[in-house]
């Protein structure tokens, strides 16, 4: 009767695979970006899952039922760090996700900016907008969102 | 269409890399041109691919407008060519209004893409995936026109599932329009044709269809989907029966039906950094019947049970280069995977009831908004080639290249 032993080995392999998956997604580098929002946004904190939902186009409403306007910073280093830490995606995977959203009519393409100041200006003047920039670049025109 | 699209592309590249916006209307699109070559005797999915063909393209442009923050409207025009079907005729790919009440509840009405499996909704746009041809069991090219969109209504939404991620759902009800000049209608014709009576479908009616789709997106890169499509459709096909002995001919007007069609697809995708793994299993159950209304031909009713699966992997080595591959198996009769029923009925060789493919793809993104691909298939069996019943090679190849610009 070698079944229990075989099951045990199979179970161990499955657990090892699960550990590898979880480890692979928890080994992101320490965040080197900050999330900013228009001052009309009532939230001051977001969970990582909520931010994930926002940048995948799943969570589209703030707590006050206002429609979320997302924006993307294309500066390579910050974009890569943000996408890896929050979404677990590479820039090309993120692009493909939004190409799918747009070509199936589910959403508009988020506006993208090459300079942090452009992003800050957009978020500052657009009610219910959210964006991200590298550390230390924010001003008084926008609020900072804490990621729990 | 092509000229308009070219103008849009130039406008897009001259301005934002992301979209063209005119009077508050956002415009996106893509244009793909490919070349395909298969073994000379096996033309698939382009009708003249055996001799090498450029009849292999897709063009689309979509327009959308935010009427207010909760309400969006949009439509996409699509033209494609696959040789004997498509022929670059402009069709309405999707067109719907979308009202989002809250994160967990939204409504759509119009012609809406059908969410079958991991990729059915986005299968048209070559830029949104690694492969030129998605695995042909779940994403059969000849069936695209009948499972692409539903004309009706849907409810959808996203429900947070705590630390386990998010559950996205869609339920749709309506009819699936099946064009008479499309590949699906040709397939139905081939299904009920006999050697002595080749038939052409002249009328198709779809019953009410119901679609359900659940997607569980976990925080660890795993996305799992479970989808179902339930429908029935019937039609008329006409042709001439030629008596094999006397060569006398009589007209045939056959009534056919695909009844109680139930399709289920289970899919899992895992993304870890630059690696994407995916697998899907599809199962179909339906009953086909034909009443030839001609004493020379034997009417039939047949229960069908097909299935198929694939595993795929893709790895992006650099910003401009990705390598992918998949293996897939498709069976016309999952209860007799050896093809014995086909052989016993005397309608073909066993290998005509399955299709097993090994596929390798190179994807290049040399500049933003341009994708180039090269893909090779080694194939055993010809089940997917039902339009071309004279396919004579069991083991055959398919080579394809495609260039896509999108904005």
């Amino acid at each position: 009767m070698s079944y229990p032993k075989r099951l045990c080995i199979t179970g161990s392999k499955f657990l090892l695979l699960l550990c590898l998956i979880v480890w692979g997604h928890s080994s992101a580098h320490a965040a080197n970006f900050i999330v900013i929002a228009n001052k009309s946004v009532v939230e001051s904190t977001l969970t990582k899952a909520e931010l994930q939902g926002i940048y995948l186009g799943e969570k589209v409403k703030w707590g006050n039922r206002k429609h979320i306007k997302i924006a993307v910073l294309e500066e390579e280093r910050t974009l890569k760090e943000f996408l890896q830490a929050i979404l677990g995606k590479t820039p090309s995977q993120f692009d493909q996700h939004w190409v799918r959203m747009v070509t199936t009519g589910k959403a508009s393409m988020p506006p993208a900016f090459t300079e942090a100041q452009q992003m800050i200006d957009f978020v500052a003047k657009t009610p219910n907008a959210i964006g991200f920039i590298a550390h230390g670049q924010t001003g008084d025109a926008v609020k900072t969102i804490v990621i729990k | 269409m092509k000229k308009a699209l070219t103008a849009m592309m130039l406008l897009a590249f001259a301005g934002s890399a992301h979209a063209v916006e005119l009077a508050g209307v956002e415009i996106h699109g893509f244009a793909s041109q490919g070349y395909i070559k298969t073994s000379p005797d096996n033309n698939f999915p382009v009708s003249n691919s055996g001799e090498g063909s450029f009849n292999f393209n897709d063009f689309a442009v979509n327009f959308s407008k935010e009427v207010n923050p909760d309400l969006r409207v949009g439509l996409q025009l699509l033209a494609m060519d696959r040789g004997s079907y498509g022929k670059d005729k402009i069709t309405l790919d999707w067109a719907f209004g979308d009202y989002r009440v809250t994160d967990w509840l939204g409504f759509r009405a119009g012609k809406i893409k059908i969410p079958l499996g991991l990729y059915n909704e986005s299968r048209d746009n070559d830029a949104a995936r690694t492969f030129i041809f998605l695995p042909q069991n779940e994403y059969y090219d000849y069936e695209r026109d009948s499972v692409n969109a539903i004309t009706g209504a849907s409810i959808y939404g996203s429900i947070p599932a705590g630390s386990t991620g998010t559950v996205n759902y869609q339920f749709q009800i309506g009819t699936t329009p099946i064009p008479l000049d499309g590949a699906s209608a040709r397939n139905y014709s081939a299904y009920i044709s006999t050697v002595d009576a080749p038939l052409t479908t002249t009328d198709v009616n779809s019953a009410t269809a119901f679609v359900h789709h659940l997607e569980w997106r976990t925080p660890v890169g795993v996305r799992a989907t479970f989808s179902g499509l339930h429908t029935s459709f019937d039609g008329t096909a006409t042709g001439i029966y030629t008596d094999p002995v006397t060569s006398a001919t009589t007209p045939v007007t056959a009534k056919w039906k695909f009844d109680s069609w139930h399709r289920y697809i289970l899919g899992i995708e895992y993304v870890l950094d630059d690696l994407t793994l995916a697998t899907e299993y599809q199962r179909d159950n339906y009953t086909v019947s034909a009443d030839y209304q001609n004493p020379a031909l034997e009417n039939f009713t047949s229960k069908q049970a097909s299935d198929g699966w694939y595993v795929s992997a893709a790895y992006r080595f650099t910003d401009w280069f990705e390598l992918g591959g998949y293996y897939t198996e498709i069976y016309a009769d999952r209860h007799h995977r050896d093809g014995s029923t086909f052989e016993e009925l005397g309608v073909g060789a066993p290998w005509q009831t399955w299709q097993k493919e090994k596929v390798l793809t190179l994807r290049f993104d040399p500049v933003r908004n341009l994708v180039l691909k090269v893909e090779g298939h080694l194939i055993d069996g010809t089940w997917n080639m039902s339009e071309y019943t004279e396919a004579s090679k069991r083991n055959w190849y398919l080579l394809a290249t495609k260039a896509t610009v999108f904005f």
Side-chain angles (χ1 to χ4, degrees):
Chain A
M1 291 294 287
S2 60
Y3 290 132
K5 186 179 176 185
R6 193 180 300 166
L7 275 175
C8 200
I9 292 169
T10 306
S12 301
K13 285 179 180 172
F14 182 69
L15 275 175
L16 181 64
L17 180 64
L18 271 180
C19 287
L20 281 172
I21 289 173
V22 173
W23 175 79
H25 278 266
S26 61
S27 62
H29 302 296
N32 194 29
F33 56 84
I34 50 175
V35 176
I36 58 172
N38 183 271
K39 286 186 170 176
S40 65
V41 172
V42 293
E43 280 84 348
S44 295
T45 62
L46 286 171
T47 65
K48 185 180 163 185
E50 287 172 325
L51 198 54
Q52 248 181 17
I54 289 171
Y55 271 88
L56 290 176
E58 295 170 348
K59 178 175 173 55
V60 296
K61 303 268 190 177
W62 292 116
N64 60 4
R65 299 189 63 181
K66 297 292 184 185
H67 204 85
I68 301 171
K69 299 276 188 189
I70 70 170
V72 176
L73 181 67
E74 291 188 322
E75 189 269 308
E76 190 178 351
R77 185 175 166 188
T78 309
L79 176 65
K80 278 186 176 174
E81 286 192 9
F82 176 80
L83 294 179
Q84 187 58 55
I86 301 301
L87 300 181
K89 286 185 183 295
T90 63
S92 68
Q93 290 163 351
F94 183 69
D95 281 351
Q96 287 185 29
H97 173 81
W98 279 97
V99 166
R100 286 188 204 115
M101 294 288 278
V102 166
T103 52
T104 55
K106 289 181 171 176
S108 300
M109 189 66 85
F113 303 98
T114 52
E115 303 288 337
Q117 192 55 50
Q118 293 174 320
M119 168 72 95
I120 292 169
D121 292 345
F122 173 82
V123 171
K125 73 178 185 191
T126 309
N128 307 305
I130 185 171
F132 58 88
I133 53 175
H135 260 313
Q137 294 180 326
T138 185
D140 293 336
V142 294
K143 67 188 286 186
T144 302
I145 301 284
V146 176
I147 308 303
K148 288 190 287 186
Chain B
M1 178 71 177
K2 290 182 185 176
K3 283 180 184 173
L5 271 171
T6 304
M8 298 280 187
M9 300 287 174
L10 290 173
L11 199 57
F13 286 121
S16 161
H18 287 83
V20 179
E21 190 165 329
L22 297 171
V25 177
E26 197 174 304
I27 305 171
H28 295 273
F30 58 87
S32 296
Q33 177 61 54
Y35 174 80
I36 185 167
K37 173 79 176 77
T38 56
S39 298
D41 299 319
N42 294 29
N43 295 285
F44 178 84
V46 174
S47 56
N48 55 349
S49 60
E51 58 197 42
S53 175
F54 285 99
N55 294 121
F56 182 36
N57 58 41
D58 306 86
F59 304 101
V61 60
N62 67 65
F63 308 87
S64 63
K65 182 173 176 62
E66 189 179 286
V67 179
N68 64 50
D70 298 326
L71 179 63
R72 289 167 41 80
V73 292
L75 64 86
Q76 178 160 287
L77 302 175
L78 179 96
M80 61 189 291
D81 187 15
R82 295 289 185 273
S84 67
Y85 66 98
K87 299 182 179 178
D88 284 335
K89 179 183 166 189
I90 298 172
T91 58
L92 185 64
D93 192 37
W94 53 261
F96 59 85
D98 185 339
Y99 181 67
R100 190 75 177 254
V101 181
T102 186
D103 289 338
W104 55 268
L105 183 63
F107 299 96
R108 295 184 180 121
K111 189 174 183 183
I112 312 157
K113 300 287 271 188
I114 295 177
L116 279 179
L118 294 167
Y119 308 116
N120 191 59
E121 287 176 297
S122 61
R123 63 190 286 175
D124 296 324
N125 191 344
D126 210 59
R129 60 174 184 269
T130 306
F131 309 108
I132 293 177
F133 291 105
L134 285 164
Q136 289 291 294
N137 184 56
E138 284 75 9
Y139 308 104
Y140 186 27
D141 251 38
Y142 280 9
E143 212 178 49
R144 184 203 162 278
D145 57 358
S146 57
V147 299
N148 169 60
I150 191 167
T151 302
S154 78
I155 63 170
Y156 71 99
S158 296
I159 302 169
S163 59
T164 63
T166 302
V167 174
N168 299 311
Y169 72 88
Q170 291 190 65
F171 296 103
Q172 301 177 331
I173 189 165
T175 57
T176 54
I178 303 173
L180 272 177
D181 56 354
S184 290
R186 286 170 175 271
N187 242 356
Y188 308 147
S189 302
Y191 221 107
I192 61 164
S193 291
T194 70
V195 174
D196 305 318
L199 304 176
T200 302
T201 293
T202 56
D203 177 47
V204 184
N205 305 296
S206 301
T208 299
F210 177 62
V211 178
H212 51 86
H213 178 74
L214 288 176
E215 178 190 62
W216 175 35
R217 187 180 54 71
T218 74
V220 292
V222 175
R223 184 167 70 101
T225 59
F226 176 66
S227 321
L229 166 65
H230 310 276
T231 188
S232 296
F233 42 95
D234 57 53
T236 307
T238 60
I240 301 291
Y241 167 73
T242 305
D243 189 298
V245 178
T246 65
S247 297
T249 59
T250 51
V252 178
T253 302
K255 298 288 184 186
W256 56 262
K257 185 166 190 177
F258 283 68
D259 196 25
S260 303
W261 187 306
H262 301 288
R263 168 167 296 176
Y264 297 97
I265 303 179
L266 186 63
I268 299 173
E269 180 190 73
Y270 174 54
V271 177
L272 176 60
D273 297 331
D274 292 301
L275 176 69
T276 302
L277 305 173
T279 182
E280 289 189 270
Y281 173 76
Q282 174 177 312
R283 171 175 284 199
D284 281 6
N285 289 306
Y286 53 98
T287 302
V288 190
S289 60
D291 177 359
Y292 291 102
Q293 301 181 17
N294 185 317
L297 293 165
E298 191 176 345
N299 299 336
F300 71 87
T301 297
S302 171
K303 287 196 170 185
Q304 303 290 311
S306 61
D307 73 353
W309 60 275
Y310 75 87
V311 288
S312 72
Y315 190 81
R316 183 163 283 259
F317 288 90
T318 69
D319 288 344
W320 54 270
F321 175 60
E322 188 169 315
L323 177 68
Y326 64 80
Y327 177 74
T328 182
E329 291 189 354
I330 305 159
Y331 295 96
D333 183 351
R334 67 173 183 267
H335 301 306
H336 301 88
R337 297 185 191 278
D338 59 358
S340 55
T341 44
F342 225 53
E343 196 171 30
E344 285 162 13
L345 288 168
V347 292
W351 48 267
Q352 289 175 312
T353 69
W354 69 66
Q355 195 151 317
K356 304 171 187 179
E357 300 191 33
K358 302 180 190 87
V359 179
L360 190 69
T361 307
L362 309 179
R363 172 182 166 140
F364 302 92
D365 295 68
V367 294
R368 189 162 196 174
N369 301 62
L370 172 64
V371 178
L372 306 172
K373 296 182 187 177
V374 181
E375 186 168 289
H377 296 230
L378 291 175
I379 307 167
D380 169 12
T382 59
W383 170 242
N384 274 344
M385 300 174 58
S386 56
E387 186 188 358
Y388 303 101
T389 51
E390 292 176 3
S392 57
K393 287 278 173 62
R394 170 178 171 171
N395 293 294
W396 52 292
Y397 69 85
L398 183 159
L399 292 171
T401 65
K402 213 167 189 187
T404 300
V405 289
F406 63 100
F407 65 96

